[in-house]
Amino acid sequence: MSQDQAAALPADTQLEKVRARYGLLAVVISNLAIVAVALFGVWRLGGDKSVIVGILTAAFTAMSSMTTAYLGIKAVSNTARSIALGRQNAALASAPPVSAPPVSAPPAAAPPAAGPPGQPAP
């Protein structure tokens, strides 16, 4: 793993933490808004049981749908991220090590002549 990849890993982890924190905060705030609207609707209706049941059922459905959608999307996102990181790490581990190019030997000198100088070799 290169130094840039090692430095990017904690930054990615920190980014995922921030996304998870604010995503959950958005879900909680929207659920509280749904509860507030449902309570206001129940208060304004003042006692009609069938309408109150309808409002509370709709509020519960909206809250559970939103929370389930957030958790489902988050789970799929985390799974996809871990698969991608696993493949990336596997590719890095299976790659052959980078080696220096082979050093070529200097050219060999010609063998010396077998006879006295000036005479052809047999």
Side-chain angles (χ1 to χ4, degrees):
M1 187 178 289
S2 71
Q3 188 176 10
D4 292 336
Q5 290 172 337
L9 193 59
D12 287 343
T13 303
Q14 185 64 25
L15 178 63
E16 286 299 316
K17 286 181 182 179
V18 169
R19 284 182 179 169
R21 185 175 298 131
Y22 286 110
L24 185 61
L25 181 65
V27 169
V28 168
I29 288 173
S30 62
N31 283 347
L32 290 175
I34 292 170
V35 167
V37 169
L39 289 176
F40 180 75
V42 168
W43 173 67
R44 292 296 291 169
L45 290 173
D48 189 5
K49 303 282 186 205
S50 62
V51 176
I52 291 174
V53 169
I55 289 174
L56 293 179
T57 301
F60 178 75
T61 302
M63 289 173 54
S64 62
S65 298
M66 188 175 308
T67 304
T68 303
Y70 169 75
L71 294 176
I73 291 169
K74 188 67 180 151
V76 169
S77 173
N78 288 345
T79 302
R81 184 173 183 270
S82 66
I83 289 172
L85 286 177
R87 286 185 182 168
Q88 180 183 11
N89 291 341
L92 288 175
S94 67
V98 177
S99 61
V103 177
S104 60
Q119 295 211 354

